[in-house]
Amino acid sequence: MKKGNVLIKNAAELVTCSGFHAKKGHEMNDLHVIPTGAVVIEEGVIKAVGTTEEILKNYQEANYEVIDAAGKAVLPGFVDSHTHFVFGGYRAEEFSWRLRGDSYMEIMERGGGIINSVRATAEATKEELHRAGKKRLDSMLSFGVTTVEGKSGYGLDYDTEIKQLEVMDALDQEHPMDIVKTFLGAHAVPKDYKGREDELIDYIIEKVLPTVAERNLAAFCDIFCEKNVFSVEQSRRLLTKAKEMGMQVKLHADEIVQLGGAELAAELGAVSADHLLQASDQGIADMAKAGVVATLLPCTAFSLREHYARGRYMIDQGCAVALASDLNPGSCFTESIPLVFALATLYMKMSIEEAVTALTINGAAAVGRADKIGSIDVGKQGDIIILEFPSYKYIPYHIAVSTVEKVVKKGVLVFDKEK
């Protein structure tokens, strides 16, 4: 029996999330559920999808590792499309400052925030970052994440930015999970560059970006487009150069102030714009028209005690919405997919079906891989999760507790809660 050959049968619900591109608006409610479903994976690739009766007429169980999913729901692996999982140090002290009422920007201005993580990441060795990153990936895998996006951005200089990306590259080759790498060299403004942000953008364009592009260290370039960080014009300049070098682009947009980041994302044809707590009606309309995925990060708003992004409104306006954890050491130190589901459904007025779509096929679209992952379709990678319960509706219902029992990655069982 070849590795990566598995037959999953008798699923109470086979939730295929079928599709090869982001689902917009009302399409997000269509999960394409097959009762008593089955899926065949050969050499890591999905070969057949249907009812168990149909599948067993055409495929011999003896040729596969068989998983009986009777009484359980089966879904595509989750795609966490926005994280900062490779970092040094922690910022528990800042969490206590926020509890007493200090704002995120106030903490940044006194030398905390991202700059604090920059120092710790610069001091960490590659081995230390690798070890910590692997531990976080193992945790994400237990929550059903089979593909994760990871950003640099805790370097803000050549050496540390490259170090972060190289660590992610090594983990991508060694860990069962697939890692989509994003270069976020413009994540914050170091003290030396305060008031000289244009020069910092020049430095990134001239010194760092060419290495990232030439060595294929990242698929995406991202920037923190925000008041007192990087302007719309500075963001446009960096991302335009990144596109010229063959990279796709993303933005941290309109998180704290309504600056026009959503509009810029649409103008540039960004794959996604993320955060969007303050995105304007016009920016949302522009993104919907341009096909930009709106990646929403409810755990960050929860952690910062901010209002949530307008997920319901965005979907109603025809946007494709994705959900992600934003795992990072400061504003959102969690990789909890169950918490993402709970917040999206309870507080962002998203249906359970929309939330499932947002963490599967739309998450895949947010990292440019909707043609390969994010749904249970013939020809796609065999990334599957099996729940402890008979329906996907248990995911948010079991509030903030993981319902994932097994994870199959490229046709191989890589996590089993029972074992």
Side-chain angles (χ1 to χ4, degrees), residues 5-167:
N5 283 16
V6 66
L7 191 158
I8 302 168
K9 65 178 184 177
N10 297 326
E13 293 178 348
L14 183 65
V15 185
T16 68
C17 302
S18 183
F20 291 81
H21 53 77
K23 294 184 180 181
K24 299 179 178 183
H26 64 86
E27 295 175 341
M28 289 181 64
N29 278 300
D30 192 354
L31 296 182
H32 295 273
V33 178
I34 302 172
T36 321
V39 56
V40 177
I41 302 168
E42 292 183 358
E43 296 184 41
V45 177
I46 296 170
K47 185 79 172 178
V49 181
T51 66
T52 298
E53 185 180 5
E54 291 167 347
I55 293 298
L56 294 184
K57 282 179 184 174
N58 298 302
Y59 294 89
Q60 298 297 316
E61 292 186 49
N63 297 329
Y64 303 90
E65 178 185 353
V66 177
I67 298 175
D68 191 338
K72 303 174 191 299
V74 174
L75 294 87
F78 296 133
V79 181
D80 191 345
S81 57
H82 182 129
T83 82
H84 307 251
F85 79 92
V86 173
F87 59 84
Y90 293 94
R91 284 151 51 191
E93 179 92 15
E94 293 178 19
F95 186 79
S96 65
W97 293 345
R98 289 208 309 276
L99 292 180
R100 75 185 187 196
D102 295 4
S103 75
Y104 181 72
M105 294 308 283
E106 284 170 345
I107 291 168
M108 276 189 75
E109 284 161 11
R110 75 169 73 137
I114 293 163
I115 298 300
N116 196 345
S117 291
V118 166
R119 284 192 293 269
T121 306
E123 291 166 3
T125 65
K126 265 191 185 180
E127 291 72 26
E128 289 168 337
L129 293 175
H130 187 283
R131 194 158 50 244
K134 180 185 180 300
K135 189 175 180 181
R136 292 168 199 140
L137 290 176
D138 289 345
S139 178
M140 290 183 223
L141 189 68
S142 75
F143 288 124
V145 175
T146 51
T147 298
V148 66
E149 185 256 17
K151 301 179 190 293
S152 66
Y154 293 129
L156 310 182
D157 63 7
Y158 181 93
D159 290 340
T160 314
E161 287 293 314
I162 298 301
K163 177 171 69 173
Q164 277 190 278
L165 292 169
E166 286 176 341
V167 167

Side-chain angles (χ1 to χ4, degrees), residues 160-282:
T160 314
E161 287 293 314
I162 298 301
K163 177 171 69 173
Q164 277 190 278
L165 292 169
E166 286 176 341
V167 167
M168 281 186 260
D169 197 50
L171 285 166
D172 185 34
Q173 294 172 48
E174 298 165 24
H175 199 276
M177 200 181 296
D178 287 329
I179 300 167
V180 180
K181 301 180 293 298
T182 294
F183 170 58
L184 181 57
H187 193 194
V189 182
K191 193 180 292 184
D192 294 352
Y193 277 97
K194 285 289 182 187
R196 299 191 297 124
E197 288 80 4
D198 283 323
E199 291 178 42
L200 179 56
I201 296 296
D202 289 339
Y203 169 76
I204 294 168
I205 288 172
E206 293 166 13
K207 303 294 184 184
V208 194
L209 199 57
T211 299
V212 174
E214 285 163 16
R215 291 182 54 193
N216 198 27
L217 284 173
F220 290 93
C221 181
D222 194 348
I223 187 168
F224 192 7
C225 181
E226 187 58 67
K227 184 181 178 183
N228 298 327
V229 190
F230 296 103
S231 69
V232 168
E233 182 48 47
Q234 288 159 349
S235 301
R236 180 185 289 112
R237 194 154 64 87
L238 175 61
L239 296 179
T240 299
K241 281 292 183 185
K243 287 185 75 172
E244 288 173 6
M245 293 184 192
M247 298 173 73
Q248 295 177 290
V249 299
K250 293 174 166 284
L251 285 88
H252 282 57
D254 299 323
E255 178 183 4
I256 299 162
V257 173
Q258 192 178 105
L259 200 67
E263 289 89 337
L264 178 63
E267 173 195 323
L268 294 176
V271 172
S272 76
D274 302 18
H275 285 291
L276 301 169
L277 277 66
Q278 309 296 335
S280 69
D281 291 357
Q282 186 61 55

